């Protein structure tokens, strides 16, 4: 038996991950963080105490067996580590990159109580990348059933739901409105954080599970959710279309040329490859001096994309202080390294025009923190007489999104007062057989939360269809009626009569 | 779904051409006033085009396109019968409300002549008295006259030089119709923004409800980028999911026209880049035509 590890015997410092030099990477779209080498991974895996409490597992939205896969890395059994990861996580190469681990698994890590937390995300990415490089895919034997499942939206929620339903034996089709699958992973997250090759590799794995992708399909308008469950023969449908409708500030000058949403900037650059204009036809709005309003992850992406597109100066303005910024700490840090100038406690009041319909600048006001508001954060209030102007030619709004209206316009799905789809805890909607999850239910959130929602919906969908997961131990006999497990809403069998 | 094969092509003029694309599901779903987004190739941009017609039995949708920018010119050269578009998504946008109006004027100019057709037909089918007003530069550019006459109770052609119908802009046609029929309930106008602005101004004194179909710059067409935002009265709307039809008397056309010029320089660059690559003589002929006629 191996010698027991203690907090004193493990490597004290977290193993750094090689990164491109800020001055170099600010001029390219290659990945910033280069990933662990096998030696790095082995060393970092040593830092995990394999503690009995496993707080990290409950800190993970999908409950990955984290100590399990890390132990396999220590044993140099990378295939074994991949097998454990893929029991629960569909897309380790993606999650290892984009999960906010500091608020999840790493945030509750036992080692993190006294030292820096184990770099779980980096280890997950290491295993995921190794699998892509080696061409590993865990394709289980799938016993097909006769159920047809439709997934609306090919982003993280839809991908996760599709994987689970395909593994359960269903005939799964994913519908995507864009010409390429991947949703926000493709159009939103830039290459330097998540290369398209990684997304395509993971989508390839889904295809190997038998999942079909239909792009160029705008569900709601080409056919409706109701048509899917009636005339098109889908036994169950998952709606994971994302939130998407960007919020504008509603200040004077909003519509000037040179003001755009982060969604537009990022979609042009990432999905439409506008950065390669004119080899690709879509033009990219280029600014010499760019102001990005907001301090979430999308805002950081917009700033760092602007830096790479050649902006001389990129400013971030945010009405609260750094402490309240919703972006991952690492993203803020990276943006800072790349030369973004942060202006905390600053709020825009008007976009200034050049007299020809273009942006000339942004008038702002300084804020100070007042009493805590409903969210518990101290409410920023304007400082009187503190107005000043930024000189800039491009302004990017990254201040959040509202619910996309298409589902509401085209279906009878019950919506909440903000326009998001109303669901129960199991993510069932008001239409039998239709489930929903991700941003279109919760409002803007993270990739891993969307994946978690996709999996929750898949579990409910399986119960609804009467598919029993044979991998799970059969539990409690007490919740049965006439011999039928009450957790199964066994409608399909009832419907046969 | 469909591989977006082009089954019919018709050239209306040096600049204007019709493509009929196979897409049975879309033909079934399409309604007047909706649009599609087309990509010609993997390197292409996403361009919104209003659906000019749809045939549920043949399973096709029809697009009428003017070769103005890089993509539409490239399509003019490359989109032949038997070839396929790289991407075609739709039908997008809220269908035009075919109201219970008893007497309507359907106005089409330039790009808008084709897409006003299904609206005229829709109103006719709903039992309205339909007056069609369409504008062309000259007699040679006129198309679909028979189609329009079949669904219109009255049909007025306006040409800039008077070589067909009445001489003048479509606004002259509108005023002529209003003069003859004081009981017009609604005007629907599709065309270049300046034309729609003219129509809205022409009907404003008569307080006739005037619907216009807006065509701002779009990327996704699904409400995600906000590039197509337009000012409607005091509010901001996304033309792709909140429109494309809006009350013409509330639309801020000047704002729309300014925003449409956002990428003029880049469009020129894309065109130059393409032409350089093609080194194409035919292109120069098209250039000349454009210089001579320009956008109205």
């Amino acid at each position: 038996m191996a010698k027991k590890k203690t907090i004193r015997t493990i490597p004290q410092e977290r193993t750094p991950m090689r990164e491109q030099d800020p001055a170099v990477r600010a001029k390219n779209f290659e990945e910033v963080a280069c990933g662990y080498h096998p030696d790095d991974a082995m060393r970092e895996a040593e830092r995990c105490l394999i503690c009995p409490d496993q707080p990290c597992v409950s800190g993970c939205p999908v409950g990955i067996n984290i100590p399990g896969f890390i132990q396999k890395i220590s044993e140099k059994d990378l295939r074994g580590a991949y097998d454990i990861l893929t029991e629960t996580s569909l897309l380790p190469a993606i999650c290892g990159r984009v999960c906010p681990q500091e608020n999840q698994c790493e945030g509750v890590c036992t080692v993190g109580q006294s030292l820096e937390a184990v770099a779980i995300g980096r280890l997950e990415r290491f295993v995921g990348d190794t699998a892509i490089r080696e061409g590993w895919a865990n394709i289980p034997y799938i016993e097909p059933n006769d159920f047809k499942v439709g997934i609306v939206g090919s982003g993280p929620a839809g991908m996760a739901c599709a994987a689970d339903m395909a593994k359960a034996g269903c005939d799964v089709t994913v519908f995507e409105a864009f010409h390429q699958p991947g949703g926000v992973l493709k159009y939103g997250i830039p290459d330097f954080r998540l290369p398209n090759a990684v997304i395509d590799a993971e989508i390839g794995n889904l295809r190997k599970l038998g999942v079909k992708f239909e792009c160029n399909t705008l569900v709601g308008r080409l056919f409706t959710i109701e048509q899917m469950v009636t005339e098109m023969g889908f036994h169950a449908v998952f709606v994971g279309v994302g939130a998407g409708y960007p919020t504008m500030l509603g200040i004077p000058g909003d519509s000037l040329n040179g003001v755009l949403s982060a969604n537009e900037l990022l979609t042009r650059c990432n999905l439409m490859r506008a950065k390669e204009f004119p080899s690709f036809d879509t033009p990219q709005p280029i600014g010499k001096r760019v102001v990005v309003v907001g301090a979430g992850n999308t805002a950081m992406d917009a700033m760092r994309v602007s830096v790479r597109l050649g902006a001389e100066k990129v400013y971030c303005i945010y009405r609260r202080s750094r402490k309240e910024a919703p972006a991952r700490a690492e993203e803020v840090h990276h943006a800072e390294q790349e030369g973004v100038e942060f202006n905390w406690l600053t709020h825009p009041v008007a976009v200034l025009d050049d007299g020809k319909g273009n942006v000339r600048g942004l008038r702002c006001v300084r804020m100070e923190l007042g009493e805590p508001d409903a969210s518990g954060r101290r409410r920023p209030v304007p400082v009187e007489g503190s107005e000043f102007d930024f000189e800039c030619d491009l302004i990017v709004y990254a201040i959040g999104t509202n619910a996309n209206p298409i589902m509401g316009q085209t279906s009878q799905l019950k919506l909440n007062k903000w326009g998001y789809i109303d669901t129960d805890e199991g993510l069932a909607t008001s239409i039998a057989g239709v489930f929903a999850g991700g941003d279109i239910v919760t409002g803007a959130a993270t990739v891993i939360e969307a994946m978690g929602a996709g999996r929750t919906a898949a579990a409910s969908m399986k119960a609804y269809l009467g598919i029993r997961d044979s991998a799970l131990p059969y539990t409690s006999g007490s919740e049965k009626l006439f011999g039928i497990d009450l957790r199964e809403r066994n409608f399909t069998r009832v419907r046969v009569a | 779904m469909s591989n977006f094969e082009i089954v019919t092509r018709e050239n209306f003029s040096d600049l204007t051409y019709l493509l009929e694309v196979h897409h049975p599901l879309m033909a079934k779903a399409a309604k007047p006033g909706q649009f599609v987004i087309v990509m010609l190739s993997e390197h292409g941009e996403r361009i919104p085009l209003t659906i000019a017609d749809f045939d549920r039995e043949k399973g096709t949708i029809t697009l009428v396109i003017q070769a103005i920018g890089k993509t539409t010119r490239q399509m003019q050269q490359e989109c032949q019968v038997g070839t396929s578009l790289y991407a075609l998504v739709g039908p997008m946008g809220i269908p035009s409300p075919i109201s219970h109006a008893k007497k309507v004027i359907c106005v089409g100019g330039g790009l808008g002549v084709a897409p006003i057709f299904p609206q005229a037909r829709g109103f006719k089918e709903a039992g309205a008295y339909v007056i069609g007003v369409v504008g062309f530069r000259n007699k040679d550019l006129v198309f679909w006259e028979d189609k329009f006459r079949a669904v219109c109770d009255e049909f007025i052609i306006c040409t800039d030089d008077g070589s067909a119908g009445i001489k003048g802009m479509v606004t002259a046609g509108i005023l002529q119709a209003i003069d003859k029929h004081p009981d017009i309930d609604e005007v629907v106008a599709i065309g270049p923004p300046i034309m729609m602005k003219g129509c809205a101004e022409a009907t404003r004194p008569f307080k006739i409800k005037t619907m216009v179909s807006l065509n701002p710059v779009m990327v996704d067409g699904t409400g995600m980028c906000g590039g197509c935002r337009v000012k409607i009265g005091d509010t901001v709307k996304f033309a792709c999911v909140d429109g494309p039809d809006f009350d013409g008397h509330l639309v801020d056309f000047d704002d729309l026209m300014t925003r449409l010029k956002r990428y003029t320089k880049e469009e020129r660059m894309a065109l130059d880049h393409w032409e350089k690559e093609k080194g194409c003589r035919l292109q120069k002929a098209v250039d000349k035509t454009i210089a001579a006629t320009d956008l109205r």
Side-chain angles (χ1 to χ4, degrees), chain B residues 268-284:
Chain B
R268 190 72 237 176
M269 274 170 69
L271 197 55
D272 290 347
H273 177 80
W274 177 63
E275 279 170 3
K276 210 158 62 184
E277 287 205 336
K278 301 283 284 184
C280 176
R281 263 172 293 143
L282 180 89
Q283 209 47 47
K284 284 178 188 152

Side-chain angles (χ1 to χ4, degrees), chain A residues 51-134:
Chain A
C51 58
D53 301 351
Q54 309 194 336
C56 50
V57 178
S58 30
C60 172
V62 294
I64 292 176
N65 176 2
I66 292 166
F69 94 82
I70 293 184
Q71 177 125 38
K72 289 285 180 194
I73 298 177
S74 306
E75 292 166 7
K76 298 193 178 173
D77 178 8
L78 295 185
R79 179 69 207 223
Y82 177 68
D83 292 344
I84 290 179
L85 266 176
T86 48
E87 276 170 19
T88 35
S89 168
L90 165 67
L91 315 161
I94 295 177
C95 296
R97 285 173 167 84
V98 299
C99 271
Q101 289 101 1
E102 67 258 36
N103 304 327
Q104 298 175 346
C105 52
E106 295 177 13
V108 292
C109 171
T110 306
V111 173
Q113 312 268 321
S114 21
L115 304 170
E116 275 184 300
V118 176
I120 300 167
R122 294 173 181 182
L123 290 172
E124 182 185 17
R125 171 181 163 179
F126 169 70
V127 176
D129 284 354
T130 306
I132 291 174
R133 202 167 46 242
E134 300 289 330

